[in-house]
Amino acid sequence: MTREALREHMQLYFIMGSVNCKEDPVEVLRKAIAGGITCFQYREKGKGSLQGHARYELAQKLRQLCMDAGIPFIVNDDINLAIEVQADGIHVGQEDEPAFRVRERIGSSMILGVSAYNLEEAERAAQEGADYLGIGPIYPTGTKEDAKSASGTGVIRLIHQAGYGLPMVGIGGIHLSNAWEIIQAGADGVSVISAISHSADPQAAASALYTAVQESCAAQ
Ligand SMILES: Cc1ncsc1CCOP(=O)(O)O
Ligand SMILES: C=C1C=NC(C(F)(F)F)=NC1=N
């Protein structure tokens, strides 16, 4: 996938695991896709998360939905699972394997996403061959237990101005009311978990977010 195609897919990047949903994760993703998400990450983490065969089974079902919809299916952290289910990509955080080692394992065909909290981490990720960056947490979030303190949109502006040219999304506490600030600061899109996964109507939530991002991009 070209960098520009990937940039397009970063507009509304939904992330979810079974822990983030009250309903059946397969149904939540089906609705989110109907609402217009442009990329999906399977992030099975935290208390009560699925392991082993149950995790593999769910990953396969979610991957099939993404394939049918033509959107990238990214796996968080679990490189073996990503390779096993032939995911389109892997996303790693700063505490995980260093990006350059992950790249050695997955090769150049898989998408490699890397989390960055500040300019220094973004710089290192760019040097180590990341295909996109996830910057955050931008706003306070209750979804990731060990999240660092919310940085605000300044770090997105800083990294955008550094001009690495990598597609990037903001993440952390993003909702319909603040999505425009993420785009206005220079991100190519927004990444959300609870704004969609906790919604009574994931399709409507995704659709509203997608419209908000589209309008913010047009205003840039
Ligand atoms: C995975 C992750 N990384 C930084 S914040 C976060 C959680 C984002 O969840 P939400 O969109 O519900 O705030
Ligand atoms: C911790 C994370 C930070 N950013 C992203 C993404 F939005 F995909 F870039 N995913 C994560 N799991």
Side-chain angles (χ1 to χ4, degrees):
M1 180 182 295
T2 64
R3 177 173 281 188
E4 286 321 305
L6 183 58
R7 198 182 302 279
E8 282 281 301
H9 281 292
M10 290 288 117
Q11 291 179 83
L12 181 54
Y13 188 167
F14 179 38
I15 301 180
M16 176 193 73
S18 62
V19 170
N20 308 115
C21 300
K22 302 179 185 84
E23 316 291 329
D24 171 7
V26 176
E27 284 315 304
V28 173
L29 180 56
R30 197 191 305 281
K31 291 169 182 171
I33 288 173
I37 61 168
T38 54
C39 190
F40 175 70
Q41 177 185 134
Y42 177 46
R43 177 176 178 273
E44 191 64 31
K45 267 187 123 169
K47 208 165 20 34
S49 57
L50 300 176
Q51 304 300 335
H53 193 66
R55 172 184 287 220
Y56 173 82
E57 286 278 290
L58 180 54
Q60 285 283 42
K61 288 177 187 166
L62 301 178
R63 180 189 178 287
Q64 191 58 53
L65 288 182
C66 292
M67 257 183 77
D68 296 347
I71 67 167
F73 175 76
I74 309 290
V75 171
N76 181 259
D77 287 358
D78 190 338
I79 302 176
N80 294 325
L81 180 65
I83 292 170
E84 255 179 298
V85 301
Q86 296 178 307
D88 296 298
I90 178 93
H91 187 93
V92 291
Q94 290 297 324
E95 322 77 55
D96 304 306
E97 267 196 86
F100 78 91
R101 204 176 297 290
V102 177
R103 179 57 84 193
E104 281 170 358
R105 281 195 62 190
I106 65 174
S108 57
S109 59
M110 271 176 81
I111 296 165
L112 173 60
V114 180
S115 306
Y117 181 68
N118 55 38
L119 186 59
E120 185 224 341
E121 290 180 359
E123 168 105 34
R124 188 172 345 110
Q127 283 164 352
E128 295 188 357
D131 292 309
Y132 73 80
L133 300 174
I135 315 294
I138 304 301
Y139 305 114
T141 176
T143 304
K144 179 179 166 80
E145 306 82 50
D146 58 342
K148 293 193 177 95
S149 60
S151 61
T153 55
V155 65
I156 293 176
R157 216 176 287 282
L158 257 180
I159 294 169
H160 184 246
Q161 282 160 0
Y164 305 125
L166 287 183
M168 67 174 170
V169 290
I171 185 169
I174 298 177
H175 293 84
L176 191 54
S177 57
N178 59 22
W180 67 274
E181 286 177 336
I182 303 292
I183 305 301
Q184 208 245 353
D188 299 292
V190 301
S191 182
V192 302
I193 299 184
S194 54
I196 293 175
S197 76
H198 287 175
S199 169
D201 184 345
Q203 178 169 344
S207 178
L209 272 164
Y210 182 69
T211 301
V213 168
Q214 286 278 317
E215 284 169 358
S216 309
C217 288
Q220 275 295 73

